Amino acid sequence: MWESVGSLEAGPWIYAMVALSVLLDVFLPVLPSGVLVITAATAAAAGTGASAGQVPPHALPDILALTLCAATASVLGDLVAYRLARRGGARLDRAIARSRRLSSAQERLGEALSRGGGALVVLA
């Protein structure tokens, strides 16, 4: 099993996995994108193993490309979420108004933000 994980890390798939994970993390915050980025960056920074001959240099992701990939995916995810919320605002409001459960959740969120919004946003 670890060999297959190593082969994903060695190829260009690691960049696609990091980008997709960070992009989807905007919509599904339960995804462990932070763990994936840190793991890939740790592997990229493991230049000591490569220089000692323990790890082949081509098996390590490039730290600059990894950083750019994660940052770009994060910005794109935020822009897509903003765009969806801006375009679908009226439709989203109508959908929330039709559901008693969603209306209740929206009211609770509004109350929580009015009481201590800054701390809630930082904590989230």
Side-chain angles (χ1 to χ4, degrees):
M1 180 175 121
W2 291 111
E3 292 83 21
S4 62
V5 171
S7 67
L8 282 176
E9 189 177 290
W13 290 105
I14 190 66
Y15 303 111
M17 286 174 45
V18 165
L20 187 63
S21 176
V22 170
L23 184 70
L24 291 178
D25 191 40
V26 171
F27 303 102
L28 300 168
V30 296
L31 290 174
S33 66
V35 173
L36 180 62
V37 171
I38 290 170
T39 303
T42 303
T48 56
S51 64
Q54 299 168 342
V55 179
H58 68 278
L60 298 174
D62 181 33
I63 190 77
L64 180 61
L66 191 65
T67 303
L68 289 174
C69 184
T72 303
S74 178
V75 169
L76 282 176
D78 289 343
L79 288 174
V80 168
Y82 173 78
R83 188 73 170 184
L84 286 174
R86 179 136 174 132
R87 282 187 173 253
R91 282 185 287 187
L92 186 61
D93 287 341
R94 285 193 301 269
I96 289 173
R98 284 192 300 261
S99 170
R100 194 162 64 186
R101 196 169 124 198
L102 289 176
S103 296
S104 172
Q106 186 180 30
E107 288 172 14
R108 285 190 313 241
L109 178 63
E111 290 170 7
L113 287 173
S114 66
R115 280 191 311 251
L120 183 63
V121 169
V122 169
L123 181 64

